[in-house]
Amino acid sequence: MNILILGSGGREHALAWKISQSNKTENLYIAPGNAGTRDVGSNLPIDINDFSEVKRIVVEKDIDILVVGPEVPLVNGITDKFKNDPALKNVSIIGPSKTGAMLEGSKEFAKEFMYRHGIPTAAYRSFNAGNIDEGFQFLESLKAPYVLKADGLAAGKGVLILNDLELAKSELKSMIEQSKFGEASAKVVIEEFLDGIEISVFVLTDGKSYVILPEAKDYKRIGEGDTGLNTGGMGSVSPVSFATPEFMGKIEQQIIKPTINGLIKENIDYKGFIFFGLIKVDGEPYVIEYNCRMGDPEAESVIPRIKSDLVDAFIAVDKQTLHEYEMEFDHRHAAAIMLVSGGYPEAYEKSKIISGIENLSDCILFHAGTSKDINTNQVKTSGGRVIAVCSYGNTMEESLTTAYDKAKQIEFEGRYFRTDIGFDL
Ligand code: AMP
Ligand code: GLY
């Protein structure tokens, strides 16, 4: 089969690494990809948010399966557009319909969906320019900290958690009236603060049934001990110690099943990954957010723990035969450490030469912000998050020790990584 993956991060390299191992894969393309994906497939330099460009490639390369890595093309409706195009109707797409993607694309939609289906989540109300005064009153009725969320996609930056009421009011005003997060914050969801520990849970669904993938924990803040600015993610571990069979059972019964049944009941087409961003409060799971894709950097520790052929799983998703499909997982632990550019998530320099990535054993390198200089054959940095180093171990500590040992051998000017991934487990 000919397979095209859209995206260019560590998640997409992890998907490409796995898909390239399937004997069903004839040709693997990654658009636009990075220096790492070149080693497992062919990179195609296109703008993945230009659907006519994507269509051109899909037709030209005779693509059978299109795997959409990031959320933006999904929220913009790539799946519906291709499914309604006679020239593309036979292409299997791993990624939900536009309505399905609204679980990530609109916080209000996701909250209303959860309420309709009795899925545990923080209490909330949403506000816009028409009722902003009620928003101020609602804030006054709550206790700190105040959680303000831009309704739409804001590249992971649209959530503010504030301790001061007056600041919360002025931020609400700036989100709604001064478009702090552009169109995305024309509507703002204000919700109850939940105090607990977070976990990322993933399913692959064909819209009728599902398989639960290994869970993971990611570390979003730039600084040790979860301090400082939010990033795209500084590392992940899988499995997660507090995800006991009992707790995972609660997640399945109270969250996963009602979500899948809700999609079925509401006739929402969904073939792809659902990422449940959860928080454990007093032993009970609550949904913080849905995402319509795999997590990044969670994919870099979850995908290495999938033993089964992922292409077979994707075929089962397309045929809606996932209920007959048994997926096998690796029981070892996996840890992924993200090496980032100095200064990230604020301004940072690019085009730094990366050394030490050849001949590293006992780890898998998933590239994110890298590119290859074809004149010199050198791999250089091209983004904030540069490379995730993933290692296995019989315990979390063992996987982390190996991953850190390898991470230290990779060098580029300004290289930074957190040394405390997994610290809270
Ligand atoms: P989101 O983009 O919805 O995942 O929110 C980003 C981060 O904000 C989450 O990963 C949580 O750490 C935090 N967060 C979001 N909603 C809440 C909430 N209701 N209570 C506590 N923390 C939250
Ligand atoms: N790691 C969080 C995300 O992918 O959104």
Side-chain angles (χ1 to χ4, degrees), residues 333 335 393-404 422 425:
H333 290 245
N394 290 318
T395 59
M396 182 181 80
E397 291 73 13
E398 211 179 283
S399 62
L400 284 162
T401 304
T402 312
Y404 276 124
L425 292 177

Side-chain angles (χ1 to χ4, degrees), residues 13-14 17 36 339 356-358 360 363-367 387-390 406-407 410:
H13 188 188
W17 169 83
L339 309 188
I357 49 177
E358 312 290 340
L360 273 186
C363 67
I364 314 164
L365 300 185
F366 294 123
H367 289 228
I387 289 183
V389 182
C390 173
K406 307 301 163 184
I410 299 174

Side-chain angles (χ1 to χ4, degrees), residues 218 220 232 275 289 291 293-298:
D218 82 331
K220 288 203 183 83
F275 167 163
E289 62 164 352
N291 294 310
R293 50 171 173 86
M294 274 304 290
D296 194 347
E298 288 95 329

Side-chain angles (χ1 to χ4, degrees), residues 107 122 147 149 159 161 191-195 198 220 279 288-289:
K107 301 273 189 203
V147 182
K149 301 185 172 186
V159 176
I161 299 184
E191 63 179 49
E192 168 200 12
F193 178 80
L194 298 177
D195 195 6
E198 290 178 53
K220 288 203 183 83
I279 189 163
I288 291 266
E289 62 164 352

